[in-house]
Amino acid sequence: DGDRARHKMVFLGAGLLLGLATAANTAPMPSVQISKGVDLPMITMGGDGQWGGSNYSLWLELGGHGFDTAWEYQPSRAISAAIRASGVPRSEIFITHKIPGSLSFNCTAAKCKTFPELPPVSGHYTPDMARRFLADNMKRLGPEIGYVDLLLLHTPCNYGGSGPHNYTECAAIYKVLEEAVQNGTAKTIGVSNFGSADLEALLKTAKVPPVV
């Protein structure tokens, strides 16, 4: 309840800023260019699938066009429905999505039981499993959305598991993100929750440098 209250306060605060900007007829939401032709809004809305579509619809009504998603959060269906109902062109929407960098955070944890839908894979993490996580999310978003603007590796590999981070495995999983750029599933790619050593190791093999 405390977390939900804090989330609502952050959401309402961001909404108030957007509402005031709209009322004052000021410039649109500031953004930062993370890659040529790709501008990331300075404020994006997160949340999990339990929030439903109404908050996402309100965010769009207030002028917010950025969404932060992850396979673990499972908000993609609700976000897609809100976007389609809003009539806002896909070209004006910015969607960040994250796929797992490790299976240790879900399939071996108690919270796996609380997911709205069970993970599509289990066991040792492989590039094929990463592709399934991504394909699963694209199915949730639907053909009307079609692609994500920014695709992130949610964590370093073996994060939360026993032993050091597996840099060889991370290099292989990151190639799945690079494939997503090549086939148009993602405009840009990057990483999340990486420490300096994780990033230094990844940069030795990455063909497409992470923009985030």
Side-chain angles (χ1 to χ4, degrees):
D1 291 341
D3 286 342
R4 184 173 292 275
R6 283 191 291 273
H7 291 162
K8 286 183 177 178
M9 289 179 66
V10 171
F11 172 71
L12 291 173
L16 177 60
L17 289 173
L18 285 169
L20 290 174
T22 301
N25 196 28
T26 58
M29 172 67 68
S31 61
V32 58
Q33 187 177 79
I34 58 175
S35 183
K36 184 177 180 180
V38 182
D39 299 311
L40 172 67
M42 295 298 288
I43 301 179
T44 62
M45 184 184 181
D48 58 39
Q50 298 178 30
W51 283 43
S54 59
N55 292 298
Y56 303 127
S57 295
L58 179 57
W59 180 244
L60 288 160
E61 290 174 15
L62 291 170
H65 289 179
F67 293 94
D68 176 76
T69 75
W71 189 92
E72 182 182 1
Y73 308 156
Q74 303 205 7
S76 296
R77 285 197 177 98
I79 287 175
S80 179
I83 293 172
R84 285 183 277 110
S86 73
V88 177
R90 173 65 182 93
S91 60
E92 296 179 14
I93 299 293
F94 192 101
I95 295 180
T96 300
H97 180 63
K98 299 181 283 293
I99 62 171
S102 171
L103 293 184
S104 61
F105 82 98
N106 57 36
C107 290
T108 61
K111 72 176 179 179
C112 183
K113 299 177 182 178
T114 69
F115 282 3
E117 297 181 29
L118 293 177
V121 296
S122 62
H124 181 67
Y125 201 29
T126 67
D128 281 343
M129 290 179 177
R131 294 184 187 99
R132 288 182 61 187
F133 273 112
L134 179 56
D136 182 69
N137 183 69
M138 298 312 298
K139 181 178 179 180
R140 294 168 194 265
L141 286 172
E144 297 88 354
I145 301 300
Y147 63 92
V148 295
D149 299 271
L150 174 62
L151 177 63
L152 303 177
L153 197 57
H154 206 158
T155 67
C157 297
N158 205 36
Y159 183 80
S162 60
H165 294 172
N166 189 325
Y167 296 144
T168 300
E169 185 173 281
C170 265
I173 300 302
Y174 189 77
K175 290 184 183 299
V176 175
L177 276 66
E178 294 178 325
E179 291 173 5
V181 174
Q182 295 169 357
N183 63 32
T185 301
K187 283 190 173 182
T188 55
I189 56 176
V191 296
S192 172
N193 295 306
F194 270 51
S196 58
D198 301 311
L199 190 57
E200 288 169 1
L202 179 66
L203 290 175
K204 293 178 181 178
T205 58
K207 298 290 195 303
V208 180
V211 299
V212 170

